PDB file of all heavy atoms in Angstrom:
ATOM      1  N   GLY A   1     -12.036  -2.579   2.515  1.00  0.00           N
ATOM      2  CA  GLY A   1     -11.448  -3.085   3.706  1.00  0.00           C
ATOM      3  C   GLY A   1     -10.122  -3.578   3.544  1.00  0.00           C
ATOM      4  O   GLY A   1      -9.637  -3.788   2.415  1.00  0.00           O
ATOM      5  N   GLY A   2      -9.431  -3.774   4.711  1.00  0.00           N
ATOM      6  CA  GLY A   2      -8.118  -4.426   4.614  1.00  0.00           C
ATOM      7  C   GLY A   2      -6.894  -3.659   5.387  1.00  0.00           C
ATOM      8  O   GLY A   2      -7.172  -2.841   6.226  1.00  0.00           O
ATOM      9  N   VAL A   3      -5.756  -3.973   4.971  1.00  0.00           N
ATOM     10  CA  VAL A   3      -4.536  -3.396   5.682  1.00  0.00           C
ATOM     11  C   VAL A   3      -4.383  -1.920   5.550  1.00  0.00           C
ATOM     12  O   VAL A   3      -4.361  -1.393   4.553  1.00  0.00           O
ATOM     13  CB  VAL A   3      -3.307  -4.250   5.079  1.00  0.00           C
ATOM     14  CG1 VAL A   3      -2.063  -3.645   5.773  1.00  0.00           C
ATOM     15  CG2 VAL A   3      -3.437  -5.667   5.304  1.00  0.00           C
ATOM     16  N   VAL A   4      -4.208  -1.305   6.637  1.00  0.00           N
ATOM     17  CA  VAL A   4      -3.806   0.088   6.786  1.00  0.00           C
ATOM     18  C   VAL A   4      -2.617   0.263   7.810  1.00  0.00           C
ATOM     19  O   VAL A   4      -2.704  -0.308   8.878  1.00  0.00           O
ATOM     20  CB  VAL A   4      -5.025   0.967   7.187  1.00  0.00           C
ATOM     21  CG1 VAL A   4      -4.600   2.438   7.406  1.00  0.00           C
ATOM     22  CG2 VAL A   4      -6.174   0.914   6.158  1.00  0.00           C
ATOM     23  N   VAL A   5      -1.646   0.918   7.372  1.00  0.00           N
ATOM     24  CA  VAL A   5      -0.482   1.314   8.139  1.00  0.00           C
ATOM     25  C   VAL A   5      -0.611   2.660   8.629  1.00  0.00           C
ATOM     26  O   VAL A   5      -0.834   3.662   7.988  1.00  0.00           O
ATOM     27  CB  VAL A   5       0.792   1.104   7.356  1.00  0.00           C
ATOM     28  CG1 VAL A   5       2.023   1.322   8.215  1.00  0.00           C
ATOM     29  CG2 VAL A   5       0.894  -0.165   6.708  1.00  0.00           C
ATOM     30  N   LEU A   6      -0.521   2.897  10.023  1.00  0.00           N
ATOM     31  CA  LEU A   6      -0.541   4.079  10.679  1.00  0.00           C
ATOM     32  C   LEU A   6       0.740   4.246  11.535  1.00  0.00           C
ATOM     33  O   LEU A   6       1.315   3.357  12.003  1.00  0.00           O
ATOM     34  CB  LEU A   6      -1.686   4.268  11.607  1.00  0.00           C
ATOM     35  CG  LEU A   6      -3.127   4.060  10.981  1.00  0.00           C
ATOM     36  CD1 LEU A   6      -4.190   3.647  11.969  1.00  0.00           C
ATOM     37  CD2 LEU A   6      -3.537   5.354  10.199  1.00  0.00           C
ATOM     38  N   ALA A   7       1.184   5.560  11.677  1.00  0.00           N
ATOM     39  CA  ALA A   7       2.485   5.804  12.353  1.00  0.00           C
ATOM     40  C   ALA A   7       2.111   6.264  13.852  1.00  0.00           C
ATOM     41  O   ALA A   7       1.100   6.914  14.046  1.00  0.00           O
ATOM     42  CB  ALA A   7       3.202   7.026  11.711  1.00  0.00           C
ATOM     43  N   LYS A   8       2.924   5.720  14.746  1.00  0.00           N
ATOM     44  CA  LYS A   8       2.773   6.137  16.210  1.00  0.00           C
ATOM     45  C   LYS A   8       3.761   7.347  16.591  1.00  0.00           C
ATOM     46  O   LYS A   8       3.651   7.803  17.650  1.00  0.00           O
ATOM     47  CB  LYS A   8       2.952   4.963  17.076  1.00  0.00           C
ATOM     48  CG  LYS A   8       1.792   3.874  16.813  1.00  0.00           C
ATOM     49  CD  LYS A   8       2.255   2.572  17.634  1.00  0.00           C
ATOM     50  CE  LYS A   8       2.283   2.714  19.047  1.00  0.00           C
ATOM     51  NZ  LYS A   8       2.584   1.537  19.828  1.00  0.00           N
ATOM     52  N   THR A   9       4.666   7.623  15.673  1.00  0.00           N
ATOM     53  CA  THR A   9       5.746   8.605  15.981  1.00  0.00           C
ATOM     54  C   THR A   9       5.713   9.384  14.747  1.00  0.00           C
ATOM     55  O   THR A   9       5.554   9.093  13.592  1.00  0.00           O
ATOM     56  CB  THR A   9       7.056   8.113  16.377  1.00  0.00           C
ATOM     57  OG1 THR A   9       7.576   7.263  15.194  1.00  0.00           O
ATOM     58  CG2 THR A   9       6.962   7.050  17.550  1.00  0.00           C
ATOM     59  N   SER A  10       6.213  10.629  14.837  1.00  0.00           N
ATOM     60  CA  SER A  10       6.409  11.602  13.764  1.00  0.00           C
ATOM     61  C   SER A  10       7.556  11.203  12.911  1.00  0.00           C
ATOM     62  O   SER A  10       7.525  11.383  11.707  1.00  0.00           O
ATOM     63  CB  SER A  10       6.612  13.050  14.304  1.00  0.00           C
ATOM     64  OG  SER A  10       7.758  13.136  15.184  1.00  0.00           O
ATOM     65  N   LYS A  11       8.650  10.664  13.450  1.00  0.00           N
ATOM     66  CA  LYS A  11       9.737  10.090  12.798  1.00  0.00           C
ATOM     67  C   LYS A  11       9.160   8.864  11.761  1.00  0.00           C
ATOM     68  O   LYS A  11       9.582   8.926  10.655  1.00  0.00           O
ATOM     69  CB  LYS A  11      10.813   9.537  13.690  1.00  0.00           C
ATOM     70  CG  LYS A  11      11.964   8.744  12.943  1.00  0.00           C
ATOM     71  CD  LYS A  11      12.766   8.016  13.824  1.00  0.00           C
ATOM     72  CE  LYS A  11      13.642   8.876  14.876  1.00  0.00           C
ATOM     73  NZ  LYS A  11      14.564   7.966  15.516  1.00  0.00           N
ATOM     74  N   ALA A  12       8.443   8.037  12.278  1.00  0.00           N
ATOM     75  CA  ALA A  12       7.942   6.959  11.491  1.00  0.00           C
ATOM     76  C   ALA A  12       6.942   7.474  10.230  1.00  0.00           C
ATOM     77  O   ALA A  12       7.122   7.071   9.173  1.00  0.00           O
ATOM     78  CB  ALA A  12       7.222   5.979  12.290  1.00  0.00           C
ATOM     79  N   LEU A  13       6.286   8.462  10.699  1.00  0.00           N
ATOM     80  CA  LEU A  13       5.306   9.050   9.667  1.00  0.00           C
ATOM     81  C   LEU A  13       6.009   9.672   8.618  1.00  0.00           C
ATOM     82  O   LEU A  13       5.759   9.490   7.342  1.00  0.00           O
ATOM     83  CB  LEU A  13       4.356  10.122  10.363  1.00  0.00           C
ATOM     84  CG  LEU A  13       3.385  10.786   9.396  1.00  0.00           C
ATOM     85  CD1 LEU A  13       2.530   9.770   8.653  1.00  0.00           C
ATOM     86  CD2 LEU A  13       2.527  11.830  10.041  1.00  0.00           C
ATOM     87  N   ALA A  14       7.113  10.552   8.885  1.00  0.00           N
ATOM     88  CA  ALA A  14       7.913  11.065   7.784  1.00  0.00           C
ATOM     89  C   ALA A  14       8.497  10.164   6.924  1.00  0.00           C
ATOM     90  O   ALA A  14       8.611  10.358   5.616  1.00  0.00           O
ATOM     91  CB  ALA A  14       8.834  12.133   8.455  1.00  0.00           C
ATOM     92  N   ARG A  15       9.097   9.136   7.458  1.00  0.00           N
ATOM     93  CA  ARG A  15       9.717   8.095   6.627  1.00  0.00           C
ATOM     94  C   ARG A  15       8.708   7.325   5.812  1.00  0.00           C
ATOM     95  O   ARG A  15       8.997   6.960   4.796  1.00  0.00           O
ATOM     96  CB  ARG A  15      10.532   7.229   7.640  1.00  0.00           C
ATOM     97  CG  ARG A  15      11.822   8.039   8.230  1.00  0.00           C
ATOM     98  CD  ARG A  15      12.585   7.173   9.044  1.00  0.00           C
ATOM     99  NE  ARG A  15      13.693   7.931   9.729  1.00  0.00           N
ATOM    100  CZ  ARG A  15      14.582   7.385  10.510  1.00  0.00           C
ATOM    101  NH1 ARG A  15      14.638   6.076  10.797  1.00  0.00           N
ATOM    102  NH2 ARG A  15      15.528   8.220  10.977  1.00  0.00           N
ATOM    103  N   LEU A  16       7.582   6.960   6.492  1.00  0.00           N
ATOM    104  CA  LEU A  16       6.606   6.226   5.727  1.00  0.00           C
ATOM    105  C   LEU A  16       6.150   7.080   4.546  1.00  0.00           C
ATOM    106  O   LEU A  16       5.892   6.563   3.354  1.00  0.00           O
ATOM    107  CB  LEU A  16       5.364   5.859   6.599  1.00  0.00           C
ATOM    108  CG  LEU A  16       5.553   4.669   7.567  1.00  0.00           C
ATOM    109  CD1 LEU A  16       4.391   4.614   8.528  1.00  0.00           C
ATOM    110  CD2 LEU A  16       5.779   3.315   6.692  1.00  0.00           C
ATOM    111  N   ASN A  17       5.886   8.270   4.761  1.00  0.00           N
ATOM    112  CA  ASN A  17       5.391   9.236   3.713  1.00  0.00           C
ATOM    113  C   ASN A  17       6.304   9.158   2.559  1.00  0.00           C
ATOM    114  O   ASN A  17       5.948   9.105   1.325  1.00  0.00           O
ATOM    115  CB  ASN A  17       5.187  10.699   4.062  1.00  0.00           C
ATOM    116  CG  ASN A  17       4.032  10.851   4.987  1.00  0.00           C
ATOM    117  OD1 ASN A  17       2.960  10.084   4.854  1.00  0.00           O
ATOM    118  ND2 ASN A  17       3.988  11.797   5.830  1.00  0.00           N
ATOM    119  N   GLU A  18       7.639   9.188   2.813  1.00  0.00           N
ATOM    120  CA  GLU A  18       8.742   9.173   1.691  1.00  0.00           C
ATOM    121  C   GLU A  18       8.741   7.716   1.040  1.00  0.00           C
ATOM    122  O   GLU A  18       8.882   7.666  -0.132  1.00  0.00           O
ATOM    123  CB  GLU A  18      10.100   9.549   2.355  1.00  0.00           C
ATOM    124  CG  GLU A  18      11.220   9.513   1.402  1.00  0.00           C
ATOM    125  CD  GLU A  18      10.923  10.505   0.148  1.00  0.00           C
ATOM    126  OE1 GLU A  18      10.238  11.480   0.378  1.00  0.00           O
ATOM    127  OE2 GLU A  18      11.709  10.473  -0.856  1.00  0.00           O
ATOM    128  N   MET A  19       8.421   6.730   1.913  1.00  0.00           N
ATOM    129  CA  MET A  19       8.500   5.330   1.217  1.00  0.00           C
ATOM    130  C   MET A  19       7.340   5.299   0.449  1.00  0.00           C
ATOM    131  O   MET A  19       7.501   4.498  -0.714  1.00  0.00           O
ATOM    132  CB  MET A  19       8.498   4.293   2.348  1.00  0.00           C
ATOM    133  CG  MET A  19       9.808   4.212   3.224  1.00  0.00           C
ATOM    134  SD  MET A  19       9.582   3.413   4.695  1.00  0.00           S
ATOM    135  CE  MET A  19       9.250   1.789   4.173  1.00  0.00           C
ATOM    136  N   PHE A  20       6.133   5.693   0.748  1.00  0.00           N
ATOM    137  CA  PHE A  20       5.016   5.587  -0.200  1.00  0.00           C
ATOM    138  C   PHE A  20       5.267   6.261  -1.410  1.00  0.00           C
ATOM    139  O   PHE A  20       4.955   5.964  -2.539  1.00  0.00           O
ATOM    140  CB  PHE A  20       3.727   5.960   0.600  1.00  0.00           C
ATOM    141  CG  PHE A  20       2.950   4.849   1.333  1.00  0.00           C
ATOM    142  CD1 PHE A  20       3.301   4.835   2.766  1.00  0.00           C
ATOM    143  CD2 PHE A  20       2.309   3.947   0.658  1.00  0.00           C
ATOM    144  CE1 PHE A  20       2.676   3.819   3.415  1.00  0.00           C
ATOM    145  CE2 PHE A  20       1.598   2.975   1.511  1.00  0.00           C
ATOM    146  CZ  PHE A  20       1.895   2.860   2.780  1.00  0.00           C
ATOM    147  N   ARG A  21       5.802   7.569  -1.306  1.00  0.00           N
ATOM    148  CA  ARG A  21       6.055   8.446  -2.414  1.00  0.00           C
ATOM    149  C   ARG A  21       7.060   7.748  -3.326  1.00  0.00           C
ATOM    150  O   ARG A  21       6.813   7.816  -4.572  1.00  0.00           O
ATOM    151  CB  ARG A  21       6.567   9.838  -1.950  1.00  0.00           C
ATOM    152  CG  ARG A  21       6.646  10.794  -3.027  1.00  0.00           C
ATOM    153  CD  ARG A  21       7.527  12.096  -2.648  1.00  0.00           C
ATOM    154  NE  ARG A  21       8.856  11.736  -2.425  1.00  0.00           N
ATOM    155  CZ  ARG A  21       9.804  11.635  -3.267  1.00  0.00           C
ATOM    156  NH1 ARG A  21       9.503  11.741  -4.715  1.00  0.00           N
ATOM    157  NH2 ARG A  21      11.058  11.348  -3.087  1.00  0.00           N
ATOM    158  N   ARG A  22       8.061   7.136  -2.853  1.00  0.00           N
ATOM    159  CA  ARG A  22       8.974   6.444  -3.807  1.00  0.00           C
ATOM    160  C   ARG A  22       8.580   5.122  -4.313  1.00  0.00           C
ATOM    161  O   ARG A  22       9.227   4.550  -5.211  1.00  0.00           O
ATOM    162  CB  ARG A  22      10.367   6.259  -2.992  1.00  0.00           C
ATOM    163  CG  ARG A  22      11.157   7.437  -2.594  1.00  0.00           C
ATOM    164  CD  ARG A  22      12.548   7.102  -2.275  1.00  0.00           C
ATOM    165  NE  ARG A  22      12.587   5.974  -1.372  1.00  0.00           N
ATOM    166  CZ  ARG A  22      12.735   6.126   0.064  1.00  0.00           C
ATOM    167  NH1 ARG A  22      12.935   7.324   0.491  1.00  0.00           N
ATOM    168  NH2 ARG A  22      12.860   5.190   0.913  1.00  0.00           N
ATOM    169  N   GLY A  23       7.422   4.595  -3.844  1.00  0.00           N
ATOM    170  CA  GLY A  23       7.071   3.250  -4.293  1.00  0.00           C
ATOM    171  C   GLY A  23       7.740   2.121  -3.416  1.00  0.00           C
ATOM    172  O   GLY A  23       7.764   0.999  -4.067  1.00  0.00           O
ATOM    173  N   ASP A  24       8.295   2.323  -2.359  1.00  0.00           N
ATOM    174  CA  ASP A  24       8.973   1.260  -1.656  1.00  0.00           C
ATOM    175  C   ASP A  24       8.055   0.454  -0.687  1.00  0.00           C
ATOM    176  O   ASP A  24       8.591  -0.462  -0.074  1.00  0.00           O
ATOM    177  CB  ASP A  24      10.025   1.991  -0.680  1.00  0.00           C
ATOM    178  CG  ASP A  24      11.133   2.633  -1.528  1.00  0.00           C
ATOM    179  OD1 ASP A  24      11.354   2.309  -2.587  1.00  0.00           O
ATOM    180  OD2 ASP A  24      11.839   3.565  -0.965  1.00  0.00           O
ATOM    181  N   VAL A  25       6.735   0.756  -0.649  1.00  0.00           N
ATOM    182  CA  VAL A  25       5.728   0.004  -0.092  1.00  0.00           C
ATOM    183  C   VAL A  25       4.994  -0.825  -1.070  1.00  0.00           C
ATOM    184  O   VAL A  25       4.425  -0.251  -2.045  1.00  0.00           O
ATOM    185  CB  VAL A  25       4.888   0.831   0.773  1.00  0.00           C
ATOM    186  CG1 VAL A  25       3.862   0.050   1.465  1.00  0.00           C
ATOM    187  CG2 VAL A  25       5.707   1.761   1.776  1.00  0.00           C
ATOM    188  N   HIS A  26       4.924  -2.144  -0.916  1.00  0.00           N
ATOM    189  CA  HIS A  26       4.347  -3.076  -2.000  1.00  0.00           C
ATOM    190  C   HIS A  26       3.034  -3.591  -1.377  1.00  0.00           C
ATOM    191  O   HIS A  26       2.920  -4.151  -0.376  1.00  0.00           O
ATOM    192  CB  HIS A  26       5.261  -4.168  -2.197  1.00  0.00           C
ATOM    193  CG  HIS A  26       6.669  -3.791  -2.718  1.00  0.00           C
ATOM    194  ND1 HIS A  26       6.968  -3.172  -3.980  1.00  0.00           N
ATOM    195  CD2 HIS A  26       7.846  -3.676  -1.974  1.00  0.00           C
ATOM    196  CE1 HIS A  26       8.188  -2.846  -3.992  1.00  0.00           C
ATOM    197  NE2 HIS A  26       8.775  -3.059  -2.712  1.00  0.00           N
ATOM    198  N   LYS A  27       2.031  -3.288  -2.273  1.00  0.00           N
ATOM    199  CA  LYS A  27       0.677  -3.683  -1.807  1.00  0.00           C
ATOM    200  C   LYS A  27       0.019  -4.563  -2.759  1.00  0.00           C
ATOM    201  O   LYS A  27       0.140  -4.398  -3.991  1.00  0.00           O
ATOM    202  CB  LYS A  27      -0.207  -2.333  -1.682  1.00  0.00           C
ATOM    203  CG  LYS A  27       0.250  -1.402  -0.537  1.00  0.00           C
ATOM    204  CD  LYS A  27      -0.649  -0.235  -0.486  1.00  0.00           C
ATOM    205  CE  LYS A  27      -0.234   0.729  -1.689  1.00  0.00           C
ATOM    206  NZ  LYS A  27      -1.000   2.023  -1.643  1.00  0.00           N
ATOM    207  N   ARG A  28      -0.675  -5.615  -2.283  1.00  0.00           N
ATOM    208  CA  ARG A  28      -1.538  -6.493  -3.094  1.00  0.00           C
ATOM    209  C   ARG A  28      -3.023  -6.368  -2.670  1.00  0.00           C
ATOM    210  O   ARG A  28      -3.233  -6.361  -1.454  1.00  0.00           O
ATOM    211  CB  ARG A  28      -0.989  -7.877  -2.960  1.00  0.00           C
ATOM    212  CG  ARG A  28       0.342  -8.069  -3.754  1.00  0.00           C
ATOM    213  CD  ARG A  28       0.817  -9.504  -3.747  1.00  0.00           C
ATOM    214  NE  ARG A  28       2.082  -9.888  -4.215  1.00  0.00           N
ATOM    215  CZ  ARG A  28       2.549  -9.685  -5.581  1.00  0.00           C
ATOM    216  NH1 ARG A  28       1.590  -9.744  -6.491  1.00  0.00           N
ATOM    217  NH2 ARG A  28       3.714  -9.996  -5.862  1.00  0.00           N
ATOM    218  N   TYR A  29      -3.788  -6.505  -3.541  1.00  0.00           N
ATOM    219  CA  TYR A  29      -5.187  -6.411  -3.293  1.00  0.00           C
ATOM    220  C   TYR A  29      -5.984  -7.655  -3.953  1.00  0.00           C
ATOM    221  O   TYR A  29      -5.510  -8.164  -4.818  1.00  0.00           O
ATOM    222  CB  TYR A  29      -5.976  -5.208  -3.935  1.00  0.00           C
ATOM    223  CG  TYR A  29      -5.509  -3.880  -3.380  1.00  0.00           C
ATOM    224  CD1 TYR A  29      -4.199  -3.358  -3.673  1.00  0.00           C
ATOM    225  CD2 TYR A  29      -6.352  -3.148  -2.512  1.00  0.00           C
ATOM    226  CE1 TYR A  29      -3.866  -2.097  -3.141  1.00  0.00           C
ATOM    227  CE2 TYR A  29      -5.957  -1.930  -2.061  1.00  0.00           C
ATOM    228  CZ  TYR A  29      -4.795  -1.357  -2.323  1.00  0.00           C
ATOM    229  OH  TYR A  29      -4.329  -0.182  -1.770  1.00  0.00           O
ATOM    230  N   TRP A  30      -6.980  -8.021  -3.296  1.00  0.00           N
ATOM    231  CA  TRP A  30      -7.955  -9.127  -3.806  1.00  0.00           C
ATOM    232  C   TRP A  30      -9.214  -8.393  -4.203  1.00  0.00           C
ATOM    233  O   TRP A  30      -9.703  -7.599  -3.526  1.00  0.00           O
ATOM    234  CB  TRP A  30      -8.150 -10.244  -2.821  1.00  0.00           C
ATOM    235  CG  TRP A  30      -7.075 -11.299  -2.682  1.00  0.00           C
ATOM    236  CD1 TRP A  30      -5.728 -11.054  -3.286  1.00  0.00           C
ATOM    237  CD2 TRP A  30      -7.227 -12.510  -2.052  1.00  0.00           C
ATOM    238  NE1 TRP A  30      -5.123 -12.229  -3.026  1.00  0.00           N
ATOM    239  CE2 TRP A  30      -5.879 -13.134  -2.234  1.00  0.00           C
ATOM    240  CE3 TRP A  30      -8.177 -13.162  -1.391  1.00  0.00           C
ATOM    241  CZ2 TRP A  30      -5.538 -14.372  -1.787  1.00  0.00           C
ATOM    242  CZ3 TRP A  30      -7.893 -14.394  -0.980  1.00  0.00           C
ATOM    243  CH2 TRP A  30      -6.497 -15.059  -1.109  1.00  0.00           C
ATOM    244  N   ALA A  31      -9.678  -8.796  -5.301  1.00  0.00           N
ATOM    245  CA  ALA A  31     -10.938  -8.122  -5.963  1.00  0.00           C
ATOM    246  C   ALA A  31     -11.831  -9.239  -6.544  1.00  0.00           C
ATOM    247  O   ALA A  31     -11.340 -10.027  -7.255  1.00  0.00           O
ATOM    248  CB  ALA A  31     -10.553  -7.077  -7.005  1.00  0.00           C
ATOM    249  N   ILE A  32     -13.162  -9.166  -5.999  1.00  0.00           N
ATOM    250  CA  ILE A  32     -14.047 -10.085  -6.739  1.00  0.00           C
ATOM    251  C   ILE A  32     -14.646  -9.224  -7.858  1.00  0.00           C
ATOM    252  O   ILE A  32     -15.326  -8.192  -7.484  1.00  0.00           O
ATOM    253  CB  ILE A  32     -15.112 -10.614  -5.741  1.00  0.00           C
ATOM    254  CG1 ILE A  32     -14.472 -11.405  -4.550  1.00  0.00           C
ATOM    255  CG2 ILE A  32     -16.233 -11.402  -6.364  1.00  0.00           C
ATOM    256  CD1 ILE A  32     -15.445 -11.852  -3.577  1.00  0.00           C
ATOM    257  N   THR A  33     -14.569  -9.793  -9.070  1.00  0.00           N
ATOM    258  CA  THR A  33     -15.219  -9.031 -10.155  1.00  0.00           C
ATOM    259  C   THR A  33     -16.195  -9.857 -10.962  1.00  0.00           C
ATOM    260  O   THR A  33     -16.335 -11.017 -10.841  1.00  0.00           O
ATOM    261  CB  THR A  33     -14.165  -8.789 -11.210  1.00  0.00           C
ATOM    262  OG1 THR A  33     -13.647 -10.006 -11.881  1.00  0.00           O
ATOM    263  CG2 THR A  33     -12.807  -7.992 -10.544  1.00  0.00           C
ATOM    264  N   ARG A  34     -17.187  -9.048 -11.335  1.00  0.00           N
ATOM    265  CA  ARG A  34     -18.292  -9.665 -12.242  1.00  0.00           C
ATOM    266  C   ARG A  34     -17.770  -9.425 -13.622  1.00  0.00           C
ATOM    267  O   ARG A  34     -17.543  -8.314 -14.175  1.00  0.00           O
ATOM    268  CB  ARG A  34     -19.595  -8.905 -11.978  1.00  0.00           C
ATOM    269  CG  ARG A  34     -20.856  -9.486 -12.737  1.00  0.00           C
ATOM    270  CD  ARG A  34     -22.068  -8.605 -12.604  1.00  0.00           C
ATOM    271  NE  ARG A  34     -22.277  -8.167 -11.277  1.00  0.00           N
ATOM    272  CZ  ARG A  34     -23.186  -8.864 -10.415  1.00  0.00           C
ATOM    273  NH1 ARG A  34     -23.613 -10.036 -10.744  1.00  0.00           N
ATOM    274  NH2 ARG A  34     -23.341  -8.434  -9.294  1.00  0.00           N
ATOM    275  N   GLY A  35     -17.552 -10.447 -14.309  1.00  0.00           N
ATOM    276  CA  GLY A  35     -16.991 -10.474 -15.611  1.00  0.00           C
ATOM    277  C   GLY A  35     -15.610 -11.187 -15.765  1.00  0.00           C
ATOM    278  O   GLY A  35     -14.972 -11.424 -14.639  1.00  0.00           O
ATOM    279  N   VAL A  36     -15.203 -11.463 -16.911  1.00  0.00           N
ATOM    280  CA  VAL A  36     -14.005 -12.244 -17.146  1.00  0.00           C
ATOM    281  C   VAL A  36     -12.986 -11.436 -17.758  1.00  0.00           C
ATOM    282  O   VAL A  36     -13.212 -10.655 -18.868  1.00  0.00           O
ATOM    283  CB  VAL A  36     -14.233 -13.476 -18.025  1.00  0.00           C
ATOM    284  CG1 VAL A  36     -12.925 -14.263 -18.185  1.00  0.00           C
ATOM    285  CG2 VAL A  36     -15.413 -14.355 -17.438  1.00  0.00           C
ATOM    286  N   PRO A  37     -11.875 -11.202 -17.276  1.00  0.00           N
ATOM    287  CA  PRO A  37     -10.824 -10.374 -17.932  1.00  0.00           C
ATOM    288  C   PRO A  37     -10.296 -10.868 -19.166  1.00  0.00           C
ATOM    289  O   PRO A  37     -10.425 -12.122 -19.476  1.00  0.00           O
ATOM    290  CB  PRO A  37      -9.730 -10.323 -16.855  1.00  0.00           C
ATOM    291  CG  PRO A  37      -9.821 -11.531 -16.077  1.00  0.00           C
ATOM    292  CD  PRO A  37     -11.343 -11.863 -15.981  1.00  0.00           C
ATOM    293  N   PRO A  38      -9.990 -10.123 -20.140  1.00  0.00           N
ATOM    294  CA  PRO A  38      -9.608 -10.541 -21.408  1.00  0.00           C
ATOM    295  C   PRO A  38      -8.361 -11.672 -21.453  1.00  0.00           C
ATOM    296  O   PRO A  38      -8.292 -12.511 -22.293  1.00  0.00           O
ATOM    297  CB  PRO A  38      -9.080  -9.261 -22.126  1.00  0.00           C
ATOM    298  CG  PRO A  38      -8.760  -8.244 -21.127  1.00  0.00           C
ATOM    299  CD  PRO A  38      -9.706  -8.638 -20.003  1.00  0.00           C
ATOM    300  N   GLN A  39      -7.509 -11.524 -20.538  1.00  0.00           N
ATOM    301  CA  GLN A  39      -6.572 -12.518 -20.287  1.00  0.00           C
ATOM    302  C   GLN A  39      -6.537 -12.996 -18.812  1.00  0.00           C
ATOM    303  O   GLN A  39      -6.897 -12.153 -17.940  1.00  0.00           O
ATOM    304  CB  GLN A  39      -5.085 -12.056 -20.632  1.00  0.00           C
ATOM    305  CG  GLN A  39      -5.047 -11.503 -22.016  1.00  0.00           C
ATOM    306  CD  GLN A  39      -5.142 -12.611 -23.075  1.00  0.00           C
ATOM    307  OE1 GLN A  39      -4.841 -13.729 -22.734  1.00  0.00           O
ATOM    308  NE2 GLN A  39      -5.530 -12.356 -24.256  1.00  0.00           N
TER     309      GLN A  39
END
């Protein structure tokens, strides 16, 4: 679950696609894990 970005115009979609490809969109996730990470 969580945040999803959708485009309402073709102009926005083309630019968003390029931004995701370049890594210009920054995403953070929260995860509940069973187990303790090494650090």
